Amino acid sequence: MPETKARVELLAHTPDPLAVIYAAFRQCYYAGEAADMWPELLAGGIPREKQADFVRSTIASGHASPIEHVTFTFAVSGVSRALTHQLVRHRIASYSQQSQRYVDASNMDYVLPPAIAANPAARERFERFIAEVGSAYADIKALLEADGRGSSAKEDARFVLPQAAASNIVVTMNCRALLNFFEHRCCSRAQWEIRGVARTMLRLCRGVLPEVFEKAGAHCERLGYCPEGAKFTCGRYPLPGA
């Protein structure tokens, strides 16, 4: 039952994302049809920098709905069920997650929290528990199979699996949903595992579409102050009125 680490890969994104957003924004203020300007956009008739300036200024004005037309799809693997339970709370998204009903977890990968890894006694107890879980899962599955449950035995045996059990998931979000996701999950108060995944996703998004994501990140990075209050602030940004 090996320890695993998170891996985030960008599988796909909307082709010509800046042009799509520019056309969508322009349609809101343009008497003509977006379809008529599309060939000119693809041919380079409207310089990228002009598109970028228009998109930046319009987003800054508070008009953000047209960025929903562009989506990013990520493969996130080697993460815990604790992380995916947090991830799927972001509801303006599509998810396809590895199923514990169908995937045999007898030799499951697991995620080891850094704080436990750094404490020898805690690590020894954690790894002993993981081994116990693996043994219990295998025993229960075998007993249920012998009782006639067949391949369905896994769906009941999975009830012993911990939140540390590794999982793989594909997630698709539009740009507006991603900005909201980054505001919450890049914050220093976010749980360490999902914070690491969010920061990797942000780096990948910036590489494709900096015009939208160059100022994305924790809520404080956009606001210029910490909205968490004196009790929870990390001190990176001042509190309101400070």
Side-chain angles (χ1 to χ4, degrees), residues 2 10 40 64 98 138 163 181 198 235:
L10 178 60
E40 183 182 7
Q98 187 178 63
Q163 291 202 82
F181 173 72

Side-chain angles (χ1 to χ4, degrees), residues 127-177:
E127 292 179 339
R128 181 154 44 94
F129 167 74
I130 292 294
E132 292 165 0
V133 166
S135 178
Y137 175 92
D139 289 346
I140 292 169
K141 184 168 76 71
L143 289 167
L144 293 175
E145 288 170 343
D147 200 33
R149 288 283 284 152
S151 61
S152 297
K154 294 189 288 294
E155 73 177 17
D156 292 329
R158 65 179 168 154
F159 277 72
V160 303
L161 298 177
Q163 291 202 82
S167 187
N168 304 326
I169 190 167
V170 172
V171 54
T172 298
M173 293 187 188
N174 68 51
C175 289
R176 196 176 191 182

Side-chain angles (χ1 to χ4, degrees), residues 52-101:
D53 289 343
F54 183 80
V55 168
R56 288 188 183 103
S57 64
T58 310
I59 292 175
S61 75
H63 184 190
S65 58
I67 69 175
E68 295 174 12
H69 294 291
V70 168
T71 64
F72 287 75
T73 297
F74 302 89
V76 181
S77 57
V79 295
S80 70
R81 279 273 170 162
L83 181 146
T84 60
H85 290 334
Q86 298 175 79
L87 180 61
V88 299
R89 292 175 188 165
H90 295 269
R91 297 177 184 175
I92 306 177
S94 298
Y95 302 101
S96 299
Q97 185 171 8
Q98 187 178 63
S99 173
Q100 290 181 337
R101 287 187 68 195

